[in-house]
Amino acid sequence: QVQLVESGGGLVQSGGSLTLSCAASGSSFSLNDMAWHRQVPGRERELVARISNSGSTNYADSVKGRFTVSRDYAKNTVTLHMSSLKFEDTAVYYCESDYRSLRNGIWTVGRSWGQGTQVTVSS
């Protein structure tokens, strides 16, 4: 199984920048796509950005041109750099990854989520 731990959330003024990081850990695993999602209370969780193993990316329309997702394949980390932040970016941000892991000689696939990190943008 793979564990994901996010860091970097906090309070920032509108127009400011913030960088979130997510580190994956476990034994005998390989990661596939990694992504960031966000959720506001009372609303469904939404995809913010995704990056594949090949480095291709896609973004929610609401964050295109402001957010950048990147990966460090050697360190099994994914980073979300957020700039020109708006009040409506306020949410809990979750890291998510699909993975393969070797258990008892058998490769299995799964999906892990981080615990979430709060991002608050003051207007």
Side-chain angles (χ1 to χ4, degrees), residues 23-40:
S25 63
S27 61
S28 301
F29 70 93
S30 64
L31 301 174
N32 294 327
D33 288 6
M34 300 190 79
W36 288 95
H37 302 252
R38 66 187 180 187
Q39 189 169 24
V40 175

Side-chain angles (χ1 to χ4, degrees), residues 52-71:
S52 72
N53 259 343
S54 64
S56 62
T57 59
N58 62 282
Y59 297 90
D61 288 343
S62 59
V63 307
K64 283 181 180 177
R66 301 188 297 120
F67 290 12
T68 303
V69 62
S70 59
R71 288 174 71 165

Side-chain angles (χ1 to χ4, degrees), residues 27-109:
S27 61
S28 301
F29 70 93
S30 64
L31 301 174
N32 294 327
D33 288 6
M34 300 190 79
W36 288 95
H37 302 252
R38 66 187 180 187
Q39 189 169 24
V40 175
R43 298 175 65 176
E44 291 188 359
R45 191 173 295 188
E46 64 170 348
L47 174 68
V48 175
R50 183 178 295 279
I51 183 166
S52 72
N53 259 343
S54 64
S56 62
T57 59
N58 62 282
Y59 297 90
D61 288 343
S62 59
V63 307
K64 283 181 180 177
R66 301 188 297 120
F67 290 12
T68 303
V69 62
S70 59
R71 288 174 71 165
D72 185 323
Y73 295 88
K75 296 182 178 179
N76 289 321
T77 60
V78 62
T79 298
L80 184 68
H81 180 67
M82 306 181 291
S83 61
S84 301
L85 282 161
K86 305 176 182 179
F87 174 75
E88 49 265 40
D89 294 318
T90 297
V92 177
Y93 283 71
Y94 296 90
C95 175
E96 171 257 312
S97 182
D98 295 329
Y99 66 87
R100 295 193 313 147
S101 65
L102 185 64
R103 182 182 298 180
N104 298 323
I106 299 173
W107 284 100
T108 59
V109 297

